[in-house]
Amino acid sequence: MSEIQSTCCYCGVGCGVLINSRNGRITGVRGDPRHPANFGRLCGKGQTLHETVDGHGRALYPELRLKRSEPRQRATWDSALEHVAARFADIIKKHGPDAVAFYISGQLLTEDYYSFNKLARALVGTNNIDSNSRLCMSSAVAGYKATLGADAPPTCYEDIDHADCMLIAGSNAAWAHPVLFRRIEDAKAKNPDLKIVVIDPRRTATAEIADLHLAIQPGTDVALFHGMLNALLQEDLTDPDYIAAHTAGYDALKALVSDYTPDFAAEVCGITTEELLTAARWFGNSRAALSLYCMGLNQSSSGADKNAALINLHLATGHIGRAGAGPFSLTGQPNAMGGRETGAMANLLIAHRDLNNAGDRAEVAKLWDVPAIPGRPGKTAVEMFEAIRRGTIKAVWIACTNPAQSLPGQDAVREALAAAELVVLQETYADTETAPYADVLLPAAGWGEKEGTVTNSERRISRVRAATPPPGEARPDWRIVCDFAMLLEHKLHGHASLRFAFDSPQQLFNEYRELTRGRNTDITGLDYATLDTKGPQHWPYRIGARQGQPRLYQDGKFPTADGRARFAAVAYKPVAENTDTRFPFRLNTGRLRDQWHGMTRSGRVARLWGHAPEPAVTLNPADLARRGLASGDIVRLESRRGTLNVIAAADSGVAPGQAFLPMHWGSRYLSGAGINALTLPVIDPKSFQPELKHCAIKISKAALPWRLIAFGTPRDGDALAQLARVQAWLPEFEFASCALMPDAGGVLLRAAAGAAPATDVLDAIHALLELDSGDVLRYDDPARGNARRVCIDGERVVAVCLSGEGGSESWLREFHAQGLPAAALGSLLLAPGTKAPAGAVSRGRIICSCHGIGETAIVSALQGAAGDATARLGSAQQQLLCGTQCGSCLPELRKLAAAAMVAA
Ligand code: SF4
C-alpha cells in the first residue's frame, strides 16, 4: 500500500487529496490534512474519486475510422497520430491554419494546457484554441481586466476568516464549492456578527445561511450593484480617499448610477428597496467586505459587465487589498485558472499577455523562437462550433471535454460535429456524448495517473501526482500533444525542431515559467522541488521570493498604465431572451450537490446518485398547481431551439414563473439531446461567454400515456455495465431516463411514450434487467397494455419491470432498495395499483450521502428530539451520524431542523 499527495480533479476549490494504491490499483482517497485549501476536508465527490478510475467506460486504446459510416477500429498510437498529422497537414496546406481548431478543457493540467497552446499558436499558426472554461470563467477574466487591469483574483481563502460582510452573488457555494462553504460556515459560527448576503433568483442551500437573501429577477445583477452604489453615495459610505488615490473613471460611473436610485433598481430586480438598502449599508459599513461570485454572474450575455459592476462596489468603498476584503471570483473547474495563466483561450495570450497587442505577440514569438504569433482573432467556443457547422473550420481536436453535452443549442452543435471533416477526441472515457462523433479517439490518462500542476481559485498552484500508471495504452495529455506536434511539424516543414521535445511535464512547467518572467503571473521563483517541499503556493512567486503572494493590490497599485484601477460605467442590459406568452417561464440552470458537469466521472459512482436520484426540473409548487401538474409528472419543456421531456418536481425555493434544471443531464441519462437542447447560444460581446443561465421556455404536461419503470440489481453485480446497456435504449422512447441506484447496486430505467412500443423492445428491456429467465413472476394483460415482471431471489426483490398502468412502483422500489422480504406477497407484487404493504416505509431522498441516511429517518429523529433547531440537529446527528463526515448535507439538515422546530 502506498499513499501519494495529489489534488482533487473536480472543482476550483482545489482540495488536496492523499491517494492510496496497492499493486498498481487506486484503492482509496482521503483529504490531505496539510493542504491549505481544505486541511483534510473533502466533499462527497472528492471522497469517492477512487471509484471513478476503474476500467468501466475508459478509453484504453487509440481508435480510428477512415469513413464516417464505419465504426472505429483499434489502432496503434503510431498509426493514429500519423493519420491525424497527415489530415491536419493536408487541411492546413489546402485551407490555411484557421481551418483547424482545438477545443480543450479546464480539467487539463497547466503543462497540458501549455503544450496545446504552443502547438496551436507556434506550430499550426492559429488562435483557434479555446477552453471549456469559456463556458464558466471568461466573464470573470473580462471583468477583472476591465477594472483591475489584469485577470487576477486579489483575494485568498483566508479572507473568509477576516471578512465581516460577505456578498455571495450567483453562487450556490454550498453545493458547487462544498469545502469552501464549510469555511464560510465556520466563519459565521465564530463571528455571528458576520453579515452574509446571498444574491440568487433561487433560494438555494447557500441562501439558508444568509442574513439577507436577495431573490433578484434573473440577469438583473448590474442594476442591483448600481443601485447599491447609488445608496452608498447617498449615505456617504464610499471611501473618497481611496477613490482619489487609486482609481480612475469615477465621475462617469457616478453620473451613470445617479439614474439607478434604490427604488428604481429594486423594482428592476424584483426586490424591496429596504432589502437593497440593507445590503448596501452592511457592505458600506463593514470593516472588510468580501464578495464571492460564480456562474450566476459569468454565464450571461452581460457577464463581463456584471463582474465589473460588482468590482465597482469594492473600489468605491476601498474594500480591496486588505485582509477579508475584495472581489473573489470562484472558479468552476479544477484548473480553469491554469488555462487563463497559460493563455489557452482564443482571445488570450500566455502569462496574461494581450493577443491584440503586437508587442506581446512579438515577445511570445521570440521566446518560442518562431517568426510570429498570428494576430487574427481565434474562434471562441460557441463561435468555433458555428464555424465548424458552416465548414470554415474543417478539423477539430477536442480534449477532455464533452461539447455534445455541455454547449448550448445542442442541435446546432451536433450538426457541427457531424459536418466536420475530422473530429479528434482525446479523452479519458470512451462513452461520452461526444465520443460517437470522433473519427479518432486518443486515450488519455486520468486523475491519479498524471503528473503536473493545477491552480485553484485563490491563485494557489498545487502538484498533481500519479499514484498508478494509466490503464491500457492511455497516455498523459501533454505527451500526446508533443508526439503529435513533432509529426505535424515534419509534415508541414519537412523537419522536426526541438520545440516539442519534452520528456516530462516538469520540462514543460520550466519552459512555461520562463514566459511568466516580469509578468503579473511571474512564477520564476517556483519549481517542482519547491512545491514538493513547501507545498502549494500562490502566484506571483518571483525569483528570490520565500513564498507566493496571497493578496494583491495591498499598496493600491494596479497593473494599468497609470497604476490606477478603472471604474466601469456599464449600463444594465436585460437577459438576451425574454419571456412572452408562448415561452412564459425563465429557465435557470446550475449544479447539483453530488454531480459534476456532464457526469462523465461522477455519474459512475452509485453513492453520488442518492441525493438527486433522477433527472428532474423543479418548479414552484404554485406553478405546478396552476398548470394542473404534480411532482412526478412527466412534462415537456420547449424553448425556441429544442424540446426535452423530463419529470417535474416541486421546490418552493424556485420563484414563481421560473424553472430550474441541473446542468448535468445529457443524452446518456435522458432521451433527447439533454438540457442544452433548450439553452441559448447567445454570447457576451466582451467575454464571449454564452448565457447558459437563462432562456425562455414553455412547460406542458407530456401526453405520453404509456409508462414503464424498470429497476434491478444485475446478477454479476456489475451495475455500470448494465447502465451502459440501458443507455443504448434511451433513444427508443419519447421520454426515458436512467440512473444508478445507490442502495441496491442496480440501475433504474423510466420511460414513457404515446403508445406501447413493439413487443421486441419490451422483450429487450426484460432481457436487459434479466427478467427473461429464472424465478420471474409474470402478469400480462395486452388489452390494457400491462406487462409486469418481478424477479424474486429467495426472499428479496432483485428486478422489476412494470409497463402499462403503474401504481405500485414506489413501494416495490423500497422493497428492492432495502432488501425487505417479499416472497410472501406473491401475486400482490403483480397487481397494478396496489397499495404499499406494511413495512414498506420510504427512506425518502438520501440527504447524507456519506452515511446513506434518508430524509424520513432524519425528519423522524429531528421531530423526536427536544430543544431548539440546533439542539435537535445535534441529537439527530448523534443518533444517525448524518452530516458528521463531509458536511455537504449540513445546509439541508439545518433547514430540516428549522422545519421540525416550526412543526413542534
Ligand atoms: Fe473536490 Fe469537493 Fe474539494 Fe471541490 S470541494 S475540490 S469537489 S473535494
Side-chain angles (χ1 to χ4, degrees):
M1 170 80 86
S2 69
E3 190 167 69
I4 195 152
Q5 278 182 302
S6 191
T7 311
C8 174
C9 59
Y10 282 117
C11 84
V13 178
C15 296
V17 295
L18 297 170
I19 309 174
N20 292 310
S21 61
R22 190 196 295 267
N23 301 330
R25 262 196 80 228
I26 292 175
T27 52
V29 65
R30 67 188 177 98
D32 181 352
R34 286 165 295 176
H35 198 290
N38 57 319
F39 299 107
R41 283 170 162 166
L42 291 180
C43 74
K45 295 186 285 284
Q47 284 181 352
T48 50
L49 269 169
H50 59 291
E51 296 178 41
T52 65
V53 289
D54 74 2
H56 270 294
R58 287 294 301 263
L60 298 173
Y61 311 101
E63 290 176 5
L64 175 63
R65 69 176 165 211
L66 300 177
K67 282 194 195 147
R68 271 286 158 84
S69 52
E70 291 171 0
R72 289 188 306 262
Q73 304 290 341
R74 182 171 171 176
T76 63
W77 270 105
D78 284 349
S79 63
L81 289 179
E82 176 66 31
H83 173 77
V84 180
R87 293 291 312 275
F88 262 62
D90 187 44
I91 291 170
I92 292 166
K93 282 178 189 165
K94 271 196 199 137
H95 304 285
D98 290 342
V100 302
F102 300 88
Y103 185 52
I104 58 179
S105 165
Q107 305 285 316
L108 291 170
L109 309 186
T110 296
E111 294 75 1
D112 305 325
Y113 257 134
Y114 179 75
S115 59
F116 264 116
N117 198 11
K118 192 173 180 185
L119 163 65
R121 303 196 206 250
L123 177 58
V124 174
T126 182
N127 289 312
N128 282 344
I129 174 165
D130 212 37
S131 163
N132 62 6
S133 297
R134 180 70 57 194
L135 310 184
C136 69
M137 291 319 308
S138 52
S139 294
V141 175
Y144 277 136
K145 284 172 79 170
T147 51
L148 307 185
D151 170 27
T155 43
C156 60
Y157 294 157
E158 210 183 279
D159 286 321
I160 290 168
D161 310 334
H162 299 292
D164 62 348
C165 175
M166 227 177 263
L167 215 62
I168 305 178
S171 157
N172 186 9
W175 285 12
H177 299 98
V179 168
L180 186 82
F181 194 71
R182 300 283 83 74
R183 202 156 175 166
I184 296 172
E185 288 172 333
D186 290 349
K188 180 75 177 164
K190 270 192 214 131
N191 175 17
D193 293 334
L194 164 66
K195 296 292 186 206
I196 300 182
V197 181
V198 170
I199 301 163
D200 198 309
R202 258 189 328 144
R203 187 163 183 90
T204 60
T206 303
E208 296 301 324
I209 203 178
D211 299 285
L212 176 66
H213 172 214
L214 301 180
I216 61 170
Q217 285 299 306
T220 58
D221 311 68
V222 169
L224 173 71
F225 301 141
H226 285 353
M228 285 174 67
L229 184 54
N230 183 303
L232 291 168
L233 278 161
Q234 282 184 36
E235 304 199 6
D236 234 356
L237 291 174
T238 57
D239 185 342
D241 292 343
Y242 190 90
I243 294 167
H246 304 299
T247 69
Y250 192 49
D251 289 343
L253 178 63
K254 227 162 107 178
L256 177 86
V257 301
S258 65
D259 290 339
Y260 293 79
T261 62
D263 286 338
F264 169 72
E267 194 184 331
V268 171
C269 297
I271 57 174
T272 66
T273 305
E274 202 45 46
E275 287 173 325
L276 185 146
L277 288 173
T278 304
R281 284 170 189 150
W282 284 351
F283 193 92
N285 282 315
S286 66
R287 185 184 34 76
L290 183 70
S291 335
L292 299 158
Y293 48 99
C294 200
M295 302 311 155
L297 298 200
N298 295 342
Q299 292 180 329
S300 160
S301 56
S302 56
D305 291 351
K306 289 178 177 177
N307 275 262
L310 176 55
I311 295 170
N312 283 340
L313 293 179
H314 285 272
L315 293 173
T317 50
H319 282 311
I320 187 166
R322 291 186 285 110
F328 195 171
S329 152
L330 301 175
T331 44
Q333 296 199 75
N335 199 27
M337 289 288 283
R340 288 150 68 172
E341 291 150 22
T342 54
M345 292 171 83
N347 57 332
L348 305 179
L349 207 50
I350 195 152
H352 291 180
R353 288 177 179 87
D354 189 350
L355 185 65
N356 295 322
N357 181 319
D360 280 358
R361 291 201 306 275
E363 198 177 24
V364 175
K366 191 170 167 213
L367 289 162
W368 276 342
D369 190 23
V370 293
I373 298 296
R376 302 174 305 277
K379 299 282 186 217
T380 60
V382 171
E383 298 169 322
M384 184 184 284
F385 280 82
E386 185 49 33
I388 297 169
R389 197 169 71 92
R390 286 198 315 268
T392 342
I393 291 176
K394 300 184 185 301
V396 61
W397 185 311
I398 298 164
C400 302
T401 184
N402 189 12
Q405 191 278 337
S406 54
L407 281 172
Q410 271 298 309
D411 280 359
V413 171
R414 289 168 181 219
E415 213 180 293
L417 286 165
E421 285 182 22
L422 178 67
V423 177
V424 180
L425 180 62
Q426 179 172 325
E427 247 299 350
T428 302
Y429 297 98
D431 57 359
T432 68
E433 281 87 345
T434 305
Y437 296 95
D439 301 299
V440 183
L441 177 69
L442 303 174
W447 173 86
E449 302 156 2
K450 299 174 64 168
E451 292 280 337
T453 54
V454 288
T455 310
N456 70 5
S457 292
E458 59 165 352
R459 288 178 286 105
R460 203 189 276 265
I461 300 170
S462 292
R463 282 279 278 118
V464 170
R465 295 183 182 86
T468 63
E473 294 180 9
R475 291 181 178 175
D477 293 281
W478 67 268
R479 163 59 65 204
I480 299 170
V481 175
C482 293
D483 287 349
F484 168 77
M486 286 198 276
L487 281 174
L488 182 67
E489 192 171 29
H490 206 273
K491 292 198 184 304
L492 288 174
H493 306 305
H495 68 277
S497 67
L498 293 178
R499 271 187 213 107
F500 290 91
F502 296 100
D503 287 329
S504 69
Q506 189 168 1
Q507 288 180 353
L508 281 153
F509 180 89
N510 291 345
E511 184 176 298
Y512 158 62
R513 186 182 58 187
E514 273 314 295
L515 275 89
T516 69
R517 190 176 292 278
R519 308 291 308 171
N520 69 327
T521 58
D522 192 330
I523 50 165
T524 43
L526 203 57
D527 54 20
Y528 274 22
T530 308
L531 289 169
D532 290 343
T533 50
K534 287 188 175 176
Q537 297 295 323
H538 295 277
W539 61 256
Y541 194 116
R542 299 190 177 88
I543 195 151
R546 295 163 69 99
Q547 62 171 54
Q549 204 177 319
R551 252 170 233 113
L552 302 179
Y553 317 133
Q554 285 174 287
D555 56 1
K557 287 206 181 81
F558 293 86
T560 55
D562 58 6
R564 288 170 175 271
R566 301 279 186 272
F567 282 105
V570 290
Y572 157 68
K573 291 183 221 72
V575 289
E577 187 171 71
N578 256 317
T579 51
D580 59 21
T581 47
R582 278 192 62 222
F583 297 97
F585 278 90
R586 298 176 178 281
L587 179 69
N588 181 5
T589 66
R591 295 177 195 274
L592 290 173
R593 192 189 76 189
D594 292 347
Q595 293 294 353
W596 175 255
H597 283 198
M599 299 167 65
T600 307
R601 192 181 279 122
S602 60
R604 289 164 213 278
V605 182
R607 201 216 289 184
L608 296 179
W609 283 88
H611 188 241
E614 290 181 69
V617 61
T618 45
L619 295 160
N620 188 278
D623 280 329
L624 282 177
R626 211 170 291 131
R627 285 181 148 62
L629 298 167
S631 275
D633 281 352
I634 299 168
V635 291
R636 177 182 164 87
L637 311 183
E638 187 177 346
S639 77
R640 293 180 174 94
R641 291 153 295 284
T643 60
L644 181 71
N645 292 323
V646 68
I647 285 176
D651 179 357
S652 54
V654 176
Q658 298 181 24
F660 176 76
L661 197 54
M663 66 188 282
H664 311 291
W665 313 114
S667 46
R668 287 184 307 135
Y669 297 103
L670 267 176
S671 52
I675 161 186
N676 285 310
L678 304 171
T679 51
L680 181 69
V682 166
I683 56 177
D684 178 322
K686 295 177 182 167
S687 70
F688 309 100
Q689 181 156 355
E691 188 151 84
L692 282 160
K693 275 282 179 190
H694 183 268
C695 70
I697 59 165
K698 67 176 158 192
I699 301 172
S700 55
K701 194 165 185 166
L704 303 172
W706 182 86
R707 301 295 166 100
L708 175 143
I709 182 162
F711 47 88
T713 307
R715 287 185 194 125
D716 63 2
D718 194 344
L720 283 174
Q722 191 180 55
L723 179 68
R725 291 193 292 270
V726 166
Q727 282 169 330
W729 284 88
L730 299 187
E732 293 295 319
F733 302 99
E734 285 156 86
F735 161 77
S737 71
C738 63
L740 285 176
M741 302 176 88
D743 301 293
V747 173
L748 170 74
L749 167 68
R750 197 186 278 279
T759 325
D760 57 338
V761 173
L762 215 48
D763 289 345
I765 301 293
H766 290 157
L768 274 180
L769 273 289
E770 299 169 328
L771 286 159
D772 54 341
S773 62
D775 204 359
V776 176
L777 305 173
R778 294 154 193 260
Y779 169 80
D780 288 298
D781 179 357
R784 302 178 70 171
N786 287 330
R788 302 169 73 82
R789 303 281 183 278
V790 178
C791 179
I792 303 277
D793 184 5
E795 276 293 322
R796 299 180 53 179
V797 172
V798 291
V800 172
C801 183
L802 312 175
S803 59
E805 295 166 294
S808 52
E809 64 261 23
S810 56
W811 65 261
L812 274 167
R813 277 177 74 175
E814 290 305 324
F815 269 71
H816 173 246
Q818 298 180 42
L820 301 173
L825 295 173
S827 59
L828 200 62
L829 294 164
L830 293 172
T834 46
K835 293 226 160 45
V841 177
S842 166
R843 296 194 319 157
R845 207 161 48 94
I846 302 296
I847 302 290
C848 172
S849 297
C850 299
H851 295 290
I853 317 287
E855 190 168 354
T856 309
I858 293 168
V859 169
S860 158
L862 289 165
Q863 288 179 344
D868 65 7
T870 311
R872 283 167 193 263
L873 179 55
S875 162
Q877 288 190 288
Q878 218 169 12
Q879 194 183 323
L880 303 169
L881 293 178
C882 50
T884 56
Q885 197 164 318
C886 81
S888 297
C889 60
L890 282 169
E892 279 161 291
L893 292 177
R894 283 194 209 98
K895 192 173 169 184
L896 291 173
M901 266 297 291
V902 172

